[in-house]
Amino acid sequence: MDCETIQPFCLALAAVIYSERAEAQYIMTDQPDRLPAMRHSLAHIMATAIQRLWPEAKFGVGPVVESGFYYDVDLGEAKVSEEDFNKIEAEMHKIIADDVPFERFEKPIDEAIAWAQASRQPYKEELLNDLKRAGTTVAKDLDADELGTITEGGVAQIEKVSFYKNADFTDLCRGPHVESTGKVGAFKLMRVAGAYWRGNEKNPQMQRLYGVAFATSAELQQHLDMLEQAKKRDHRKLGQELDLFVISDLVGPGLPIFTPRGTVLRNELIKFSEELQREGGYEAVWAPHMTRTELYKISGHYDKYPERFDVSSVESDDTFMMKPMNCPHVTQIYASRPRSYRDLPLRYMETTTMYRDEKSGELHGLSRVRALTQDDSHAFVRQDQIEDEVRNILGMVKQMYLTLDMPLSVDLSVRDDNDNYFGDPKLWQEAQNILQRIAREEELDYRVEPGEAAFYGPKIDIYVSDALGRRWQCATVQLDFVMPERFQLEYVDEHSEKQRPAMVHKTILGSIERFLSVYIEHTAGRFPIWMAPEQVRVITVNQEEATLNFAHGILEQAKKLAVRLGVDNSNESVGKKIRAAELAKIPYVIVAGDKEIRTQQVVPRIRKDMVVIDAPVTLGIEEFLKTVANEAKARILKTSL
RNA sequence: GCCACCUUAGCUCAGUUGGCUAGAGCGCCGCUUUCGUAAAGCGGAGGUCAUCGGUUCGAUUCCGAUAGGUGGCUCCA
């Protein structure tokens, strides 16, 4: 394209963007619900297009999600693939161009059911029957908005349900929608995925078509650009570029191996976590990585979780397994001798690797692996010590994430009506009350998640987000009255009576692997001094002996001060070696040549994100190295050079 | 495990609508150069086009299976 053709094209584009911006502003200020309505309307338009292309399509639900919408469809033997997106989008654009109105109307519930039968929409029929019977549909993962429910006043009051019709497509739906199909903004179909009907693995699997949608094409483009940026900081990509870990087919999926650089990250994190725990009164313990399966039959995990690695023994009749967690092991330390109320709390920590046979499709880089290392701990406490211990732990968690400069979000994971939980419901209620009170008093910004508790107790789960905004659980504090019961743990109180302790489980980082995956994306590989695998790189200007000796001398000094320093004396230009150091995201780079040898001073080049002052600083070599060592020790985020 | 898609050199990617010795950049190795804060020059090595099977005169290309991966679903002690 030459200049003459490109310029008018750009001007036209600019004009479009400008007018769309103006419209977007109007929407933002006057109608805050406009965007969800647009997205929801697009879900209907997509369904309309699909119905035209596949007249036999059966529809599930099609709600609004973050950044867009989806619709679940069942095409029987036919399957949608991403290659079909062009023709679906083309059909959608036709519907949008037609600009037909969305018409709302109501039907009595029985008529609605008849409609679903007549139009051969079994999934809609099932939803309607549930609505009729229970007044709501009680399936996880279903958005009530999608179901045409009008449930104010509670259960079993549904008489009428609402429908929306656009052109030849009619759908059970509560709305709201935009006025007509022409008013839906900019969209793009993204991908197709399998999704079980009503989120249940035992149900048939439908195809879920995802789209992103925004009020204007500029915003849509911005979103797509953001996804591109996020790809660049994907921990799997950076892990390879920065030489942090490898995943080998020979070793197996979900079993990452850490390089020297990656191992520095792991060890620094573990060191920090253990420091915090030691301050909090925790003592290190250690257990082997395999155990008799009997231990897990008693704990109750054996039957609950089939995802284990069994280990067979040639010599004995016993069966063994890799440990999938640590709590049952630690109970045996407690149980090894009689305990007095004076001994409590007993606090044990262990940073150790455990093994879970995750289903293949669930593995994901470092986020979800089959060998995971936890900074785990277990405190055995009296009833009256629970609260202090939970606060003790929350203090550690706060300090960790404050130092790392990572925002947290908190779930209070409690039980639901399900009978999958072990233990006395009264104790459960008590435990949940304690956690909720603490969450409130500690001013955590939490939300309550029923059904998310462990089978042995409620939890405070703490999440951090990756580059795409996906939440990953890292820290957790869990109350447990079940393990002590199952392993018959006791202590003797001041009246010589036998009592049962409670257990408080916790992790600060959670799985080190998962934490690293999020942290690598959070920092885009620009690690703070205390974690940086290579804190300083010395770049030699030439290969002369005096220069090499000088660089070697700096390396020896760095070793004494425990500064991680590398020397690049390769036969390349200084510019190229600087570039390599920048790409490796080394915090401090010093160039070593005749000038430095003469003055015995260096001018550290500071990684851009760490610069707090502009002027270059000249320092003596030892002074510089000591500053680096101190910054690492203090775990500061930015440089003070 | 389920659905859709992907797999070409160490990395990032071209390419072959089924046809002789499969290409580039970076990286690596060698030589020249001895250089001052984001890429010096020249040369070289490196690929059974994931694996196995089928169709075909002929497969890296088409089909199937397997393995690994990507995005979801389910699960996550």
Side-chain angles (χ1 to χ4, degrees):
Chain A
M1 214 187 274
D2 59 26
C3 286
E4 271 94 335
T5 54
I6 201 167
Q7 257 189 347
F9 174 73
C10 287
L11 284 173
L13 194 65
V16 169
I17 291 168
Y18 181 77
S19 69
E20 281 174 345
R21 277 240 171 86
E23 192 193 348
Q25 237 167 22
Y26 168 73
I27 288 164
M28 294 306 287
T29 50
D30 272 22
Q31 291 166 292
D33 294 336
R34 187 80 185 165
L35 187 56
M38 289 168 123
R39 287 172 174 166
H40 195 176
S41 301
L42 276 163
H44 279 226
I45 291 168
M46 182 170 73
T48 311
I50 288 167
Q51 195 177 49
R52 287 183 188 174
L53 295 165
W54 292 272
E56 292 306 307
K58 313 271 183 273
F59 293 96
V61 296
V64 173
V65 291
E66 185 158 4
S67 318
F69 60 92
Y70 70 77
Y71 217 116
D72 284 349
V73 301
D74 179 355
L75 302 182
E77 288 302 300
K79 295 274 185 252
V80 182
S81 97
E82 278 158 38
E83 284 175 21
D84 298 317
F85 281 1
N86 278 344
K87 66 181 183 194
I88 299 173
E89 284 185 358
E91 197 63 41
M92 288 174 73
H93 283 300
K94 272 191 227 164
I95 297 162
I96 291 167
D98 289 345
D99 200 18
V100 295
F102 280 97
E103 297 168 43
R104 183 180 192 280
F105 60 92
E106 294 188 350
K107 271 185 201 291
I109 187 106
D110 289 318
E111 271 182 45
I113 292 169
W115 163 82
Q117 286 167 346
S119 21
R120 279 180 291 176
Q121 290 295 340
Y123 299 106
K124 299 289 181 191
E125 188 184 338
E126 185 180 327
L127 293 177
L128 283 162
N129 279 319
D130 279 7
L131 275 173
K132 185 183 177 184
R133 183 162 32 86
T136 182
T137 59
V138 281
K140 206 172 139 190
D141 191 46
L142 278 193
D143 184 347
D145 283 356
E146 185 48 32
L147 305 173
T149 52
I150 312 165
T151 49
E152 294 149 28
V155 187
Q157 308 229 337
I158 301 292
E159 284 169 14
K160 285 185 173 177
V161 290
S162 58
F163 283 80
Y164 276 83
K165 181 177 188 301
N166 58 283
D168 42 333
F169 181 76
T170 302
D171 198 9
L172 167 67
C173 176
R174 183 159 82 171
H177 284 282
V178 293
E179 303 75 37
S180 63
T181 57
K183 299 184 174 167
V184 287
F187 76 97
K188 181 174 173 6
L189 299 188
M190 297 300 281
R191 53 186 48 98
V192 56
Y196 298 103
W197 168 237
R198 310 190 88 168
N200 187 335
E201 208 176 354
K202 296 189 180 72
N203 284 340
Q205 192 168 45
M206 310 186 71
Q207 288 192 288
R208 178 167 296 176
L209 279 71
Y210 283 94
V212 292
F214 290 87
T216 65
S217 49
E219 285 168 282
L220 175 65
Q221 193 52 51
Q222 206 179 353
H223 178 78
L224 297 176
D225 291 346
M226 185 278 287
L227 293 180
E228 276 305 306
Q229 287 302 313
K231 255 194 215 164
K232 287 190 191 149
R233 46 167 74 199
D234 187 309
H235 76 272
R236 292 162 298 191
K237 186 173 156 69
L238 286 172
Q240 197 228 81
E241 286 173 3
L242 302 179
D243 191 21
L244 302 176
F245 60 90
V246 292
I247 295 176
S248 150
D249 282 359
L250 272 181
V251 174
L255 299 169
I257 307 166
F258 285 78
T259 63
R261 286 174 189 271
T263 305
V264 169
L265 297 178
R266 285 175 68 99
N267 289 347
E268 287 296 330
L269 283 167
I270 291 168
K271 192 168 124 199
F272 188 20
S273 171
E274 291 189 343
E275 267 175 42
L276 291 171
Q277 293 179 73
R278 214 166 282 122
E279 282 164 29
Y282 282 77
E283 295 179 284
V285 297
W286 188 83
H289 289 204
M290 56 181 271
T291 171
R292 291 179 61 203
T293 49
E294 187 65 16
L295 182 72
Y296 280 89
K297 287 182 177 163
I298 294 174
S299 74
H301 292 92
Y302 192 84
D303 295 321
K304 285 257 172 210
Y305 300 99
E307 298 88 2
R308 63 175 178 273
F309 287 104
D310 290 322
V311 179
S312 57
S313 161
V314 181
E315 289 293 320
S316 80
D317 292 336
D318 266 349
T319 56
F320 294 88
M321 58 189 273
M322 304 301 292
K323 64 174 178 183
M325 55 188 310
N326 299 306
C327 11
H329 304 248
V330 179
T331 63
Q332 297 311 293
I333 297 177
Y334 185 96
S336 65
R337 57 181 62 219
R339 304 291 181 181
S340 150
Y341 71 98
R342 296 173 202 272
D343 297 334
L344 304 186
L346 273 172
R347 304 185 182 97
Y348 301 127
M349 66 170 172
E350 182 183 13
T351 305
T352 185
T353 306
M354 43 232 211
Y355 307 87
R356 300 176 182 178
D357 191 12
E358 305 287 1
K359 294 181 194 169
S360 59
E362 285 157 358
L363 300 173
H364 180 94
L366 293 182
S367 321
R368 191 80 183 271
V369 291
R370 299 207 278 195
L372 56 134
T373 309
Q374 275 191 352
D375 56 338
D376 208 356
S377 77
H378 301 88
F380 297 88
V381 298
R382 304 188 307 253
Q383 198 71 21
D384 61 298
Q385 293 171 324
I386 291 175
E387 220 171 304
D388 282 350
E389 197 51 42
V390 174
R391 285 181 207 275
N392 182 20
I393 290 165
L394 285 175
M396 300 173 197
V397 171
K398 282 180 177 172
Q399 203 180 329
M400 171 64 79
Y401 288 91
L402 196 69
T403 306
L404 291 164
D405 193 29
M406 294 179 84
L408 300 172
S409 63
V410 178
D411 281 4
L412 191 59
S413 300
V414 298
R415 64 181 290 166
D416 54 20
D417 301 335
N418 212 303
D419 53 7
N420 286 334
Y421 303 98
F422 289 15
D424 180 357
K426 257 170 58 189
L427 280 176
W428 269 86
Q429 194 51 55
E430 205 173 306
Q432 293 180 177
N433 289 346
I434 292 171
L435 290 185
Q436 181 143 26
R437 186 168 68 243
I438 294 170
R440 217 178 289 133
E441 286 173 12
E442 296 283 325
E443 294 180 347
L444 301 178
D445 183 14
Y446 69 96
R447 59 185 199 201
V448 178
E449 292 289 342
E452 292 297 315
F455 74 86
Y456 49 74
K459 315 185 277 182
I460 293 176
D461 286 325
I462 295 167
Y463 289 80
V464 291
S465 299
D466 71 11
L468 287 174
R470 293 178 292 205
R471 293 170 89 230
W472 294 96
Q473 189 216 306
C474 289
T476 182
V477 192
Q478 311 181 351
L479 277 187
D480 176 5
F481 300 109
V482 173
M483 283 307 124
E485 184 78 34
R486 297 208 136 218
F487 287 102
Q488 306 271 303
L489 305 183
E490 290 170 339
Y491 66 88
V492 177
D493 71 8
E494 57 267 58
H495 310 297
S496 291
E497 305 273 341
K498 287 191 170 167
Q499 300 289 347
R500 184 130 292 157
M503 277 175 88
V504 184
H505 310 234
K506 83 102 200 44
T507 61
I508 299 177
L509 297 163
S511 146
I512 309 296
E513 292 79 11
R514 172 177 296 184
F515 176 79
L516 269 176
S517 76
V518 181
Y519 191 65
I520 289 167
E521 300 189 1
H522 176 75
T523 57
R526 289 185 282 266
F527 304 113
I529 293 291
W530 65 277
M531 284 179 68
E534 186 177 343
Q535 294 163 321
V536 181
R537 182 171 293 182
V538 176
I539 288 174
T540 58
V541 171
N542 55 45
Q543 259 70 47
E544 281 159 28
E545 202 178 335
T547 313
L548 296 179
N549 285 341
F550 179 65
H552 187 255
I554 299 174
L555 176 63
E556 289 305 314
Q557 283 187 69
K559 279 187 195 163
K560 286 191 191 119
L561 292 164
V563 169
R564 295 184 290 267
L565 180 143
V567 176
D568 184 352
N569 57 15
S570 60
N571 184 11
E572 297 289 351
S573 67
V574 172
K576 187 161 183 177
K577 291 197 275 190
I578 295 271
R579 180 177 146 82
E582 287 284 347
L583 292 174
K585 298 172 182 170
I586 311 290
Y588 295 118
V589 175
I590 57 183
V591 175
D594 293 344
K595 198 176 80 194
E596 287 75 17
I597 296 173
R598 204 170 54 244
T599 62
Q600 292 292 306
Q601 300 223 305
V602 292
V603 184
R605 182 186 165 104
I606 304 169
R607 202 177 62 202
K608 285 190 231 43
D609 63 291
M610 302 198 321
V611 176
V612 290
I613 43 170
D614 290 335
V617 186
T618 306
L619 294 166
I621 290 157
E622 188 169 0
E623 186 188 4
F624 166 66
L625 291 174
K626 278 185 172 163
T627 308
V628 175
N630 288 337
E631 288 185 348
K633 202 172 162 199
R635 297 197 174 92
I636 63 147
L637 266 183
K638 305 274 181 199
T639 179
S640 59
L641 287 181

